[in-house]
Amino acid sequence: MNTYARQPVAFVRGEGVWLWDEAGKKYLDALAGIAVNTLGYAHPKLTRALSDRLASGVLHTSNLWRIPLQEAAADRLAEITGLDEVFFCNSGLEANEAAIKIARKYGQERGIAEPAIIVMEKAFHGRSLATLSATGSRKVQAGFEPLVQGFVRVPLNDLDAVRTLAEHNRNVAAVMVEPIQGEGGINVSRLDYLRGLKEICERRDWLFISDEVQCGLGRTGKWFVYQHAGFLPDVVPLAKGLGSGVPVGACVVGGRAKGVLKPGNHGSTFGGNPLAMTAVVTTIDTIKEESLLANAEKVGAVIRNGLSEVHGITEIRGMGLMIGLELGQPCGELVKQALDAGLVINVTADNVIRMLPPLVMTPAEGRLVVERLAPLVQNFLARGALPRAAAH
């Protein structure tokens, strides 16, 4: 189906943070398949683990039986999240669907006939009917009405709006927030805002759902953004970088959400299969062994500091290796220009250059990202006078 506006390039080989196309041209990847390829390409530990799994002949058995690798992966996720229970699925929208079901069941168990979830403007939670209804984008929702009911929307970073809703809507059972909105333009939740949101949830007995599908798994310099704010949420949907390219998602719960889902309440045919679990275990172990959390923070600072010298960028946003450059005008043409210069980037929200490099990128490669991107942005912005960059 004609559902993608694809760029005219096909990548056929990868190594580290580098890709090669069919003609042999080499590209520096600053997107990682949209935050998916955590360990870059051809990482020896992942390649070896997946090869061994393929050689075993057991890629799928189903959740009718014990899957020891799934148990190992769940233990690792419980350790790094600080939470207690894990449901494995195949994608971010599935992880968010599970979170929505948990919130509704939690609300029903508290006597709320029609539980509601507070969601944010400009959020993106997926493209299924429920998750696109939670998403704060008319572009994503248009043509798929009627939307799923049960979501009430407020601006990001506005605690007063949440407090007002709390006073007037007795059906609220949960708050669902992307601590850093990816598709919405790398919009960063203030840490004091996240803490305030958590405080409201505690006082109102709501679930706090931290959607870290794109911003989690070490991208910001810690495993998860909520760890920067210093508290534990009740529900954490994950996917993208969790399997370093192997499709996998997870919904991790603790606190008030622990034990809400029981046998028969939810399921997945492929979720938690041995192939995906091999990728999860290897990804998490490698992030630890190679100190990739600290590396994400270090290399992200190299890129942000380098680009802060480019005159005309409206704002530089993000944390670690999740970086957005707002240019104040539509800049989609820069994606093709960057490809021509041997650099892979993305533009989201029309006017924001989005970069989500593999966590294995080195500082030298980060500087090379700046060297290749800066002149493209300077030439683009030379057509108009915009304010000088402000790094955040």
Side-chain angles (χ1 to χ4, degrees):
M1 295 184 186
N2 186 25
T3 57
Y4 297 96
R6 290 186 170 96
Q7 292 294 324
V9 62
F11 300 118
V12 297
R13 184 168 72 87
E15 183 177 341
V17 297
W18 297 92
L19 289 164
W20 285 262
D21 67 15
E22 295 167 303
K25 181 177 176 178
K26 187 178 179 181
Y27 301 80
L28 178 58
D29 182 14
L31 190 61
I34 315 181
V36 168
N37 299 316
T38 300
L39 303 181
Y41 303 91
H43 193 289
K45 294 175 183 176
L46 183 63
T47 299
R48 184 167 54 252
L50 293 177
S51 296
D52 290 347
R53 174 48 48 189
L54 289 169
S56 77
V58 182
L59 305 185
H60 175 83
T61 57
S62 101
N63 287 297
L64 295 175
W65 327 110
R66 277 191 60 226
I67 304 173
L69 266 171
Q70 186 181 122
E71 296 164 7
D75 286 343
R76 283 163 171 78
L77 280 177
E79 177 194 349
I80 65 174
T81 60
L83 304 179
D84 303 298
E85 299 175 344
V86 185
F87 174 81
F88 285 107
C89 50
N90 309 288
S91 66
L93 84 78
E94 289 181 51
N96 279 327
E97 284 274 353
I100 291 166
K101 288 181 68 174
I102 289 167
R104 287 192 169 193
K105 192 166 185 293
Y106 173 78
Q108 291 276 353
E109 290 174 351
R110 294 176 61 235
I112 303 173
E114 297 182 1
I117 301 171
I118 295 176
V119 291
M120 308 301 159
E121 294 175 1
K122 299 183 180 180
F124 182 87
H125 298 294
R127 295 181 183 272
S128 66
L129 283 175
T131 55
L132 72 81
S133 299
T135 290
S137 167
R138 281 302 302 153
K139 182 179 179 180
V140 171
Q141 296 170 342
F144 300 107
E145 295 85 355
L147 300 178
V148 175
Q149 299 302 301
F151 300 101
V152 287
R153 200 170 310 282
V154 296
L156 186 69
N157 284 320
D158 188 342
L159 286 176
D160 287 338
V162 178
R163 294 187 185 106
T164 299
L165 257 179
E167 293 300 323
H168 295 92
N169 190 329
R170 300 300 178 181
N171 289 331
V172 173
V175 171
M176 188 174 194
V177 60
E178 290 174 280
I180 302 179
Q181 294 179 338
E183 301 298 322
I186 315 296
N187 302 311
V188 182
S189 299
R190 297 190 315 271
L191 297 184
D192 66 320
Y193 167 76
L194 292 175
R195 295 184 192 106
L197 207 54
K198 172 65 173 176
E199 183 181 330
I200 294 171
C201 288
E202 292 292 327
R203 191 163 58 250
R204 296 283 177 173
D205 210 21
W206 296 344
L207 297 185
F208 189 111
I209 303 171
S210 187
D211 176 357
E212 305 231 10
V213 167
Q214 187 167 144
C215 62
L217 276 306
R219 183 150 293 283
T220 64
K222 291 185 181 292
W223 286 108
F224 305 103
V225 178
Y226 65 81
Q227 292 170 341
H228 290 278
F231 65 84
L232 290 178
D234 299 290
V235 185
V236 181
L238 301 171
K240 288 194 180 292
L242 183 57
S244 295
V246 176
V248 60
C251 187
V252 191
V253 304
R256 285 179 288 266
K258 182 178 179 180
V260 170
L261 288 188
K262 296 175 175 60
N265 289 156
H266 201 45
S268 171
T269 297
F270 294 105
N273 68 72
L275 179 65
M277 297 301 95
T278 298
V280 171
V281 168
T282 306
T283 296
I284 293 174
D285 287 353
T286 303
I287 291 173
K288 291 180 180 179
E289 292 161 4
E290 300 187 2
S291 301
L292 296 184
L293 301 183
N295 189 65
E297 186 173 10
K298 178 169 62 177
V299 179
V302 167
I303 296 173
R304 289 193 305 275
N305 291 340
L307 291 170
S308 69
E309 300 301 316
V310 178
H311 179 72
I313 298 175
T314 304
E315 188 176 21
I316 301 176
R317 296 191 291 269
M319 300 172 72
L321 284 173
M322 188 170 190
I323 301 167
L325 313 178
E326 184 173 336
L327 300 191
Q329 56 188 298
C331 58
E333 66 190 69
L334 285 172
V335 174
K336 177 61 167 60
Q337 292 177 19
L339 283 174
D340 292 342
L343 179 66
V344 180
I345 59 168
N346 174 245
V347 167
T348 191
D350 292 330
N351 65 344
V352 179
I353 297 172
R354 174 172 54 168
M355 290 185 288
L356 305 156
L359 301 195
V360 296
M361 179 172 279
T362 66
E365 290 162 340
R367 287 188 287 272
L368 190 54
V369 169
V370 175
E371 290 174 16
R372 294 190 179 187
L373 182 59
L376 300 179
V377 174
Q378 287 172 329
N379 291 338
F380 176 79
L381 293 177
R383 303 170 194 168
L386 295 175
R388 187 171 176 79
H392 295 284

